[in-house]
Amino acid sequence: MQFYNEMGIAGEERAHYRDFCAWLAQQSPDALESKRVEADLTFRRVGITFAVYGDDAGTERLIPFDIIPRIIPAGEWTQLEKGLTQRVRALNMFIHDIYHEQHIIRAGLIPAEQIYRNAQYRPEMQGINVASDIYAHIAGVDIVRAGQGEFYVLEDNLRVPSGVSYMLEDRKMMMRLFPELFVKHRVAPVEHYPDLLLDNLRSVAPMGVADPTVVVMTPGMYNSAYFEHAFLAQQMGVELVEGKDLFVSDNHVYMRTTRGPRRVDVIYRRLDDDFLDPLAFRADSSLGVPGLLSVYRAGRVTLANAIGTGVADDKSIYPYVPDMIRFYLSEEPVLNNVPTYQCRNKKELDYTLANLKDLVVKEVHGAGGYGMLVGPASSTDEIEQFRRRLIAHPDGYIAQPTLALSNCPTFVESGVAPRHIDLRPFVLSGKTTSIVPGGLTRVALKEGSLVVNSSQGGGTKDTWVLEE
């Protein structure tokens, strides 16, 4: 299998990498190793970790950081930005539509059962109007490059997308370790993301609120992304709260403070729908705010992202996104989907079962690299076990060809070697749409691995978008 190399081969480096390659050639392995150790020590001291549920080795892990950046030229980024804006706009229109007029269902483009039987569909949201008709205020869209260098959307993350704190900390670390590189290269900045996020959240406050109070709502310190919750609250200069810090009174949400109750207008919530309001969803949830849904229905608080947004990032809905773009925007998709087989269809299930050794099979509700089969990297026993699961629950899976993910030089134990990568840009939707240049590049550190998720041993890189 041939892989697109982001940097190019030795002696034929791509134009946007040439200056960096010249610098890299002058660095000794010992000097690079020293910088890598310094980065690890700093990240651990600052507490930039994530939790792995069920991990007997400990609850906190350091996400490995690679000191060789992924570089994207300005022209490529312009096209990516255009495609990301188009895609998230269509997804927001889709979510509004299914909770209101349902034009796309009536037009026969998406089967009704794909919506109403979806575990992330929330009938409680039917007919509710949300501020500016925005549901996915923060979207993380996973992009891969394959073939001759074409970009594909691998999946849409619209519920509580994470990882932006690592994007910001990776840039800070590279500027600390290698300040001379930022003199030689015109790298587009990303550090203004918290300001953009706060402006975005304030712009979708309930109608009539001139100076909205914004908070970040976390499930608590034992959540896998708690570092990010605390980081973003601190960077935006807003309060980090848990459900117990909020209460409902007179059909408004209030925050307990040392100076008495303070009304809250916008909640950037980092917990799933099920736990938001024990009166509306899971009665056993101690993480939410009793009565929150009633305030939300009345339009007196904004939740980012909106309740019920997950119906649009389910992997069973993913194959329909290109049709959504054509339906709502009357445009052709700028970014392509990966060809996808829906195992709920017998013909596509039969094809999947016959070609398991060549396919990637994913749970439609899965995340984090769990519940999936990478056929070419699996043993015969693993494939047969997965075959039984597929036959028993075909509705729960999709399948895709195993993409030849692009690789990028990475500093590993053996030296500089190619490793496979993806990219998660973050799209902010409010009164306007904004995207900081680049995003979080994740790298599969195991040789030959195509799974970049941090929970599966992946690491991260700084992503440079070069300004013209």
Side-chain angles (χ1 to χ4, degrees), residues 182-203:
F182 292 87
V183 176
K184 295 181 179 180
H185 297 81
R186 295 188 61 190
V187 181
V190 298
E191 53 270 19
H192 59 297
Y193 176 87
D195 295 332
L196 284 178
L197 176 59
L198 182 58
D199 288 346
N200 178 76
L201 294 172
R202 289 174 60 88
S203 77

PDB file of all heavy atoms in Angstrom, residues 182-203:
ATOM      1  N   PHE A 182      10.073  29.807  14.386  1.00  0.00           N
ATOM      2  CA  PHE A 182       8.976  30.742  14.151  1.00  0.00           C
ATOM      3  C   PHE A 182       9.472  32.077  13.605  1.00  0.00           C
ATOM      4  O   PHE A 182       8.679  32.909  13.189  1.00  0.00           O
ATOM      5  CB  PHE A 182       8.159  30.918  15.431  1.00  0.00           C
ATOM      6  CG  PHE A 182       7.414  29.666  15.818  1.00  0.00           C
ATOM      7  CD1 PHE A 182       8.021  28.693  16.597  1.00  0.00           C
ATOM      8  CD2 PHE A 182       6.130  29.442  15.358  1.00  0.00           C
ATOM      9  CE1 PHE A 182       7.359  27.525  16.927  1.00  0.00           C
ATOM     10  CE2 PHE A 182       5.459  28.274  15.685  1.00  0.00           C
ATOM     11  CZ  PHE A 182       6.068  27.309  16.476  1.00  0.00           C
ATOM     12  N   VAL A 183      10.783  32.242  13.618  1.00  0.00           N
ATOM     13  CA  VAL A 183      11.382  33.386  12.935  1.00  0.00           C
ATOM     14  C   VAL A 183      11.495  33.078  11.439  1.00  0.00           C
ATOM     15  O   VAL A 183      11.240  33.938  10.587  1.00  0.00           O
ATOM     16  CB  VAL A 183      12.772  33.716  13.525  1.00  0.00           C
ATOM     17  CG1 VAL A 183      13.429  34.842  12.735  1.00  0.00           C
ATOM     18  CG2 VAL A 183      12.649  34.092  15.002  1.00  0.00           C
ATOM     19  N   LYS A 184      11.838  31.833  11.120  1.00  0.00           N
ATOM     20  CA  LYS A 184      12.031  31.427   9.725  1.00  0.00           C
ATOM     21  C   LYS A 184      10.721  31.157   8.991  1.00  0.00           C
ATOM     22  O   LYS A 184      10.681  31.212   7.763  1.00  0.00           O
ATOM     23  CB  LYS A 184      12.894  30.157   9.674  1.00  0.00           C
ATOM     24  CG  LYS A 184      14.313  30.336  10.166  1.00  0.00           C
ATOM     25  CD  LYS A 184      15.073  29.018  10.052  1.00  0.00           C
ATOM     26  CE  LYS A 184      16.503  29.163  10.506  1.00  0.00           C
ATOM     27  NZ  LYS A 184      17.250  27.879  10.400  1.00  0.00           N
ATOM     28  N   HIS A 185       9.683  30.779   9.712  1.00  0.00           N
ATOM     29  CA  HIS A 185       8.425  30.389   9.085  1.00  0.00           C
ATOM     30  C   HIS A 185       7.305  31.335   9.501  1.00  0.00           C
ATOM     31  O   HIS A 185       7.192  31.690  10.677  1.00  0.00           O
ATOM     32  CB  HIS A 185       8.032  28.966   9.494  1.00  0.00           C
ATOM     33  CG  HIS A 185       8.996  27.915   9.055  1.00  0.00           C
ATOM     34  ND1 HIS A 185      10.151  27.637   9.740  1.00  0.00           N
ATOM     35  CD2 HIS A 185       8.971  27.067   7.986  1.00  0.00           C
ATOM     36  CE1 HIS A 185      10.804  26.658   9.124  1.00  0.00           C
ATOM     37  NE2 HIS A 185      10.109  26.296   8.058  1.00  0.00           N
ATOM     38  N   ARG A 186       6.444  31.695   8.547  1.00  0.00           N
ATOM     39  CA  ARG A 186       5.271  32.515   8.859  1.00  0.00           C
ATOM     40  C   ARG A 186       4.115  31.577   9.198  1.00  0.00           C
ATOM     41  O   ARG A 186       3.314  31.191   8.343  1.00  0.00           O
ATOM     42  CB  ARG A 186       4.910  33.403   7.671  1.00  0.00           C
ATOM     43  CG  ARG A 186       5.968  34.453   7.343  1.00  0.00           C
ATOM     44  CD  ARG A 186       5.470  35.414   6.282  1.00  0.00           C
ATOM     45  NE  ARG A 186       4.283  36.142   6.740  1.00  0.00           N
ATOM     46  CZ  ARG A 186       3.532  36.895   5.945  1.00  0.00           C
ATOM     47  NH1 ARG A 186       3.831  37.016   4.656  1.00  0.00           N
ATOM     48  NH2 ARG A 186       2.477  37.524   6.425  1.00  0.00           N
ATOM     49  N   VAL A 187       4.071  31.193  10.466  1.00  0.00           N
ATOM     50  CA  VAL A 187       3.069  30.237  10.928  1.00  0.00           C
ATOM     51  C   VAL A 187       1.847  31.002  11.436  1.00  0.00           C
ATOM     52  O   VAL A 187       1.966  31.885  12.295  1.00  0.00           O
ATOM     53  CB  VAL A 187       3.635  29.343  12.052  1.00  0.00           C
ATOM     54  CG1 VAL A 187       2.590  28.332  12.506  1.00  0.00           C
ATOM     55  CG2 VAL A 187       4.904  28.631  11.572  1.00  0.00           C
ATOM     56  N   ALA A 188       0.673  30.666  10.905  1.00  0.00           N
ATOM     57  CA  ALA A 188      -0.558  31.343  11.337  1.00  0.00           C
ATOM     58  C   ALA A 188      -0.812  31.064  12.813  1.00  0.00           C
ATOM     59  O   ALA A 188      -0.652  29.934  13.285  1.00  0.00           O
ATOM     60  CB  ALA A 188      -1.739  30.869  10.488  1.00  0.00           C
ATOM     61  N   PRO A 189      -1.206  32.069  13.585  1.00  0.00           N
ATOM     62  CA  PRO A 189      -1.402  31.894  15.032  1.00  0.00           C
ATOM     63  C   PRO A 189      -2.667  31.104  15.367  1.00  0.00           C
ATOM     64  O   PRO A 189      -3.620  31.076  14.592  1.00  0.00           O
ATOM     65  CB  PRO A 189      -1.512  33.333  15.542  1.00  0.00           C
ATOM     66  CG  PRO A 189      -2.051  34.104  14.378  1.00  0.00           C
ATOM     67  CD  PRO A 189      -1.460  33.458  13.149  1.00  0.00           C
ATOM     68  N   VAL A 190      -2.652  30.455  16.542  1.00  0.00           N
ATOM     69  CA  VAL A 190      -3.834  29.738  17.042  1.00  0.00           C
ATOM     70  C   VAL A 190      -4.205  30.176  18.457  1.00  0.00           C
ATOM     71  O   VAL A 190      -5.273  29.825  18.963  1.00  0.00           O
ATOM     72  CB  VAL A 190      -3.602  28.209  17.039  1.00  0.00           C
ATOM     73  CG1 VAL A 190      -3.365  27.698  15.629  1.00  0.00           C
ATOM     74  CG2 VAL A 190      -2.449  27.806  17.971  1.00  0.00           C
ATOM     75  N   GLU A 191      -3.311  30.965  19.093  1.00  0.00           N
ATOM     76  CA  GLU A 191      -3.507  31.246  20.520  1.00  0.00           C
ATOM     77  C   GLU A 191      -4.730  32.111  20.812  1.00  0.00           C
ATOM     78  O   GLU A 191      -5.147  32.241  21.975  1.00  0.00           O
ATOM     79  CB  GLU A 191      -2.260  31.893  21.124  1.00  0.00           C
ATOM     80  CG  GLU A 191      -1.767  33.121  20.393  1.00  0.00           C
ATOM     81  CD  GLU A 191      -0.759  32.798  19.305  1.00  0.00           C
ATOM     82  OE1 GLU A 191      -0.691  31.635  18.859  1.00  0.00           O
ATOM     83  OE2 GLU A 191      -0.039  33.726  18.885  1.00  0.00           O
ATOM     84  N   HIS A 192      -5.348  32.678  19.775  1.00  0.00           N
ATOM     85  CA  HIS A 192      -6.539  33.506  19.988  1.00  0.00           C
ATOM     86  C   HIS A 192      -7.811  32.664  20.041  1.00  0.00           C
ATOM     87  O   HIS A 192      -8.911  33.217  20.174  1.00  0.00           O
ATOM     88  CB  HIS A 192      -6.662  34.553  18.872  1.00  0.00           C
ATOM     89  CG  HIS A 192      -6.751  33.972  17.491  1.00  0.00           C
ATOM     90  ND1 HIS A 192      -5.742  33.235  16.935  1.00  0.00           N
ATOM     91  CD2 HIS A 192      -7.744  34.013  16.565  1.00  0.00           C
ATOM     92  CE1 HIS A 192      -6.098  32.845  15.711  1.00  0.00           C
ATOM     93  NE2 HIS A 192      -7.305  33.298  15.473  1.00  0.00           N
ATOM     94  N   TYR A 193      -7.696  31.330  19.984  1.00  0.00           N
ATOM     95  CA  TYR A 193      -8.890  30.481  19.995  1.00  0.00           C
ATOM     96  C   TYR A 193      -9.799  30.746  21.201  1.00  0.00           C
ATOM     97  O   TYR A 193     -11.021  30.856  21.039  1.00  0.00           O
ATOM     98  CB  TYR A 193      -8.508  28.996  19.939  1.00  0.00           C
ATOM     99  CG  TYR A 193      -9.709  28.078  20.058  1.00  0.00           C
ATOM    100  CD1 TYR A 193     -10.442  27.716  18.937  1.00  0.00           C
ATOM    101  CD2 TYR A 193     -10.127  27.592  21.299  1.00  0.00           C
ATOM    102  CE1 TYR A 193     -11.556  26.905  19.047  1.00  0.00           C
ATOM    103  CE2 TYR A 193     -11.239  26.780  21.414  1.00  0.00           C
ATOM    104  CZ  TYR A 193     -11.946  26.431  20.290  1.00  0.00           C
ATOM    105  OH  TYR A 193     -13.065  25.637  20.413  1.00  0.00           O
ATOM    106  N   PRO A 194      -9.281  30.841  22.441  1.00  0.00           N
ATOM    107  CA  PRO A 194     -10.190  31.090  23.570  1.00  0.00           C
ATOM    108  C   PRO A 194     -10.992  32.382  23.415  1.00  0.00           C
ATOM    109  O   PRO A 194     -12.158  32.444  23.813  1.00  0.00           O
ATOM    110  CB  PRO A 194      -9.253  31.151  24.780  1.00  0.00           C
ATOM    111  CG  PRO A 194      -8.081  30.311  24.372  1.00  0.00           C
ATOM    112  CD  PRO A 194      -7.897  30.594  22.910  1.00  0.00           C
ATOM    113  N   ASP A 195     -10.381  33.424  22.826  1.00  0.00           N
ATOM    114  CA  ASP A 195     -11.112  34.675  22.596  1.00  0.00           C
ATOM    115  C   ASP A 195     -12.221  34.465  21.567  1.00  0.00           C
ATOM    116  O   ASP A 195     -13.348  34.974  21.729  1.00  0.00           O
ATOM    117  CB  ASP A 195     -10.164  35.769  22.110  1.00  0.00           C
ATOM    118  CG  ASP A 195      -9.131  36.164  23.157  1.00  0.00           C
ATOM    119  OD1 ASP A 195      -9.440  36.018  24.364  1.00  0.00           O
ATOM    120  OD2 ASP A 195      -8.031  36.580  22.781  1.00  0.00           O
ATOM    121  N   LEU A 196     -11.905  33.718  20.504  1.00  0.00           N
ATOM    122  CA  LEU A 196     -12.926  33.417  19.499  1.00  0.00           C
ATOM    123  C   LEU A 196     -14.061  32.604  20.106  1.00  0.00           C
ATOM    124  O   LEU A 196     -15.246  32.834  19.816  1.00  0.00           O
ATOM    125  CB  LEU A 196     -12.314  32.629  18.332  1.00  0.00           C
ATOM    126  CG  LEU A 196     -11.459  33.375  17.324  1.00  0.00           C
ATOM    127  CD1 LEU A 196     -10.914  32.394  16.284  1.00  0.00           C
ATOM    128  CD2 LEU A 196     -12.267  34.468  16.634  1.00  0.00           C
ATOM    129  N   LEU A 197     -13.703  31.627  20.931  1.00  0.00           N
ATOM    130  CA  LEU A 197     -14.713  30.775  21.562  1.00  0.00           C
ATOM    131  C   LEU A 197     -15.641  31.596  22.453  1.00  0.00           C
ATOM    132  O   LEU A 197     -16.872  31.451  22.398  1.00  0.00           O
ATOM    133  CB  LEU A 197     -14.029  29.671  22.373  1.00  0.00           C
ATOM    134  CG  LEU A 197     -14.948  28.742  23.175  1.00  0.00           C
ATOM    135  CD1 LEU A 197     -15.931  28.017  22.259  1.00  0.00           C
ATOM    136  CD2 LEU A 197     -14.109  27.738  23.978  1.00  0.00           C
ATOM    137  N   LEU A 198     -15.065  32.469  23.270  1.00  0.00           N
ATOM    138  CA  LEU A 198     -15.887  33.292  24.150  1.00  0.00           C
ATOM    139  C   LEU A 198     -16.790  34.224  23.351  1.00  0.00           C
ATOM    140  O   LEU A 198     -17.987  34.366  23.651  1.00  0.00           O
ATOM    141  CB  LEU A 198     -15.002  34.102  25.101  1.00  0.00           C
ATOM    142  CG  LEU A 198     -15.741  34.978  26.122  1.00  0.00           C
ATOM    143  CD1 LEU A 198     -16.674  34.134  26.997  1.00  0.00           C
ATOM    144  CD2 LEU A 198     -14.744  35.747  26.985  1.00  0.00           C
ATOM    145  N   ASP A 199     -16.248  34.867  22.318  1.00  0.00           N
ATOM    146  CA  ASP A 199     -17.073  35.742  21.472  1.00  0.00           C
ATOM    147  C   ASP A 199     -18.197  34.951  20.831  1.00  0.00           C
ATOM    148  O   ASP A 199     -19.342  35.425  20.728  1.00  0.00           O
ATOM    149  CB  ASP A 199     -16.215  36.386  20.371  1.00  0.00           C
ATOM    150  CG  ASP A 199     -15.266  37.451  20.909  1.00  0.00           C
ATOM    151  OD1 ASP A 199     -15.456  37.878  22.061  1.00  0.00           O
ATOM    152  OD2 ASP A 199     -14.337  37.834  20.177  1.00  0.00           O
ATOM    153  N   ASN A 200     -17.885  33.737  20.392  1.00  0.00           N
ATOM    154  CA  ASN A 200     -18.880  32.870  19.762  1.00  0.00           C
ATOM    155  C   ASN A 200     -20.001  32.529  20.745  1.00  0.00           C
ATOM    156  O   ASN A 200     -21.189  32.597  20.413  1.00  0.00           O
ATOM    157  CB  ASN A 200     -18.195  31.597  19.270  1.00  0.00           C
ATOM    158  CG  ASN A 200     -19.152  30.611  18.632  1.00  0.00           C
ATOM    159  OD1 ASN A 200     -19.586  30.806  17.508  1.00  0.00           O
ATOM    160  ND2 ASN A 200     -19.478  29.557  19.348  1.00  0.00           N
ATOM    161  N   LEU A 201     -19.632  32.153  21.967  1.00  0.00           N
ATOM    162  CA  LEU A 201     -20.630  31.785  22.974  1.00  0.00           C
ATOM    163  C   LEU A 201     -21.486  32.986  23.381  1.00  0.00           C
ATOM    164  O   LEU A 201     -22.704  32.879  23.549  1.00  0.00           O
ATOM    165  CB  LEU A 201     -19.935  31.177  24.194  1.00  0.00           C
ATOM    166  CG  LEU A 201     -19.226  29.839  23.955  1.00  0.00           C
ATOM    167  CD1 LEU A 201     -18.405  29.440  25.176  1.00  0.00           C
ATOM    168  CD2 LEU A 201     -20.233  28.743  23.613  1.00  0.00           C
ATOM    169  N   ARG A 202     -20.854  34.135  23.526  1.00  0.00           N
ATOM    170  CA  ARG A 202     -21.605  35.343  23.889  1.00  0.00           C
ATOM    171  C   ARG A 202     -22.581  35.746  22.777  1.00  0.00           C
ATOM    172  O   ARG A 202     -23.660  36.269  23.054  1.00  0.00           O
ATOM    173  CB  ARG A 202     -20.642  36.495  24.194  1.00  0.00           C
ATOM    174  CG  ARG A 202     -19.874  36.327  25.501  1.00  0.00           C
ATOM    175  CD  ARG A 202     -18.829  37.426  25.681  1.00  0.00           C
ATOM    176  NE  ARG A 202     -19.428  38.752  25.699  1.00  0.00           N
ATOM    177  CZ  ARG A 202     -19.895  39.368  26.772  1.00  0.00           C
ATOM    178  NH1 ARG A 202     -19.823  38.758  27.953  1.00  0.00           N
ATOM    179  NH2 ARG A 202     -20.408  40.576  26.700  1.00  0.00           N
ATOM    180  N   SER A 203     -22.211  35.454  21.524  1.00  0.00           N
ATOM    181  CA  SER A 203     -23.051  35.876  20.399  1.00  0.00           C
ATOM    182  C   SER A 203     -24.362  35.098  20.309  1.00  0.00           C
ATOM    183  O   SER A 203     -25.290  35.527  19.625  1.00  0.00           O
ATOM    184  CB  SER A 203     -22.279  35.725  19.078  1.00  0.00           C
ATOM    185  OG  SER A 203     -22.226  34.376  18.648  1.00  0.00           O
TER     186      SER A 203
END
